[in-house]
Amino acid sequence: MNAHLQPTGSAYFLTQETQQSERHTLSVLVDNEPGILARVVGLFSARGYNIESLTVSETEHDKRLSRITVVVIATPKTLVQIKLQLERLVPVHKVHDLTAEGAYLERELALIKVNGTGDQRAETLRLADAFRAQIVDATVESFVFEVTGKPSKIDSFITLMQPLGLIEVVRTGLAAISRGPEGM
C-alpha cells in the first residue's frame, strides 16, 4: 500500500491527497420537510465549502421526497468529507456523486434578456435560432430568450449576446440524472 494511502485513524485516508480541485455534481434524496434545504446549505456554509449551483424540487409527491442537486468544486479529500457529512443528516436518504459514478445527463435553463433594436435585431434573432433559443417575450426594444442545455451552451450564448446588448440573465441551476435503467 502506498504511504499516502495508509490508515490514519480516519476514513479520509481512502482518498489520495491532491490539491487538484474538480467539479462534481451531487444528487441528494431528502425528505420534503421544512428546514432541510437550510440544513444542507448550512453544512456547506459552516465548513467554508462553496456551492457552484443548487437546485431543489419535490420529485416523489406521494413519498414526500425531494431531490437536491448540488454542484461543487472541491479537492477529492474535501469531496469525501462533504458526502460523509451529507449522509449523516437525518432526513437525507441517499447521496450520489453523479460525476464519479459515470454517465449522467445535466441540463440548465436560462432566461436571457437582450436589446433588440436597429441592425442588431436580426443578428440577435439569427444567433438565437442557431442555439434553439425560444423567444418567450418580445417588444420593439428587447427580447427574452429561453435557452436550455448544458451550462457550456448557455455560457456560449451569453457570450455571443454581450456585444449585441445583453441586459440580464437568470439561470435555474443544474438539473442532473444518471443514465441507465436504475434510479436513485
Side-chain angles (χ1 to χ4, degrees):
M1 185 180 270
N2 294 337
H4 63 280
L5 294 179
Q6 292 294 321
T8 61
S10 168
Y12 302 128
F13 77 90
L14 297 173
T15 303
Q16 189 172 357
E17 292 286 333
T18 67
Q19 295 304 313
Q20 183 80 17
S21 292
E22 300 171 343
R23 178 183 178 272
H24 281 260
T25 302
L26 305 177
S27 188
V28 185
L29 189 64
V30 299
D31 288 337
N32 185 10
E33 62 182 42
I36 182 58
L37 181 60
R39 292 178 67 193
V40 169
V41 171
L43 182 149
F44 281 81
S45 175
R47 289 156 182 84
Y49 306 148
N50 189 39
I51 296 173
E52 295 293 316
S53 173
L54 174 73
T55 58
V56 61
S57 183
E58 186 175 66
T59 56
E60 297 183 47
H61 182 71
D62 55 329
K63 295 181 183 177
R64 299 195 39 79
L65 295 175
S66 290
R67 184 179 215 152
I68 300 172
T69 304
V70 185
V71 178
V72 297
I73 296 177
T75 63
K77 182 178 178 179
T78 301
L79 191 64
V80 169
Q81 292 172 345
I82 290 170
K83 291 190 300 189
L84 289 172
Q85 290 164 357
L86 281 171
E87 288 169 346
R88 283 196 297 245
L89 289 177
V90 172
V92 172
H93 294 276
K94 295 179 185 175
V95 177
H96 286 272
D97 181 351
L98 296 175
T99 306
E101 292 175 10
Y104 70 100
L105 302 171
E106 62 180 24
R107 294 294 183 266
E108 185 176 11
L109 178 135
L111 297 175
I112 301 167
K113 188 186 297 184
V114 182
N115 276 330
T117 59
D119 296 336
Q120 294 179 332
R121 189 171 177 90
E123 180 65 7
T124 301
L125 289 171
R126 187 187 69 73
L127 287 170
D129 186 52
F131 277 81
R132 296 184 183 155
Q134 301 297 312
I135 300 170
V136 293
D137 185 58
T139 68
V140 293
E141 298 174 332
S142 67
F143 295 104
V144 175
F145 297 104
E146 176 186 296
V147 182
T148 58
K150 291 184 178 185
S152 58
K153 173 187 174 183
I154 294 171
D155 292 340
S156 295
F157 185 72
I158 291 168
T159 299
L160 290 172
M161 291 296 119
Q162 285 175 341
L164 297 174
L166 180 69
I167 299 170
E168 187 175 7
V169 176
V170 180
R171 295 174 84 150
T172 61
L174 201 65
I177 192 167
S178 63
R179 296 189 68 202
E182 291 159 22
M184 192 162 174

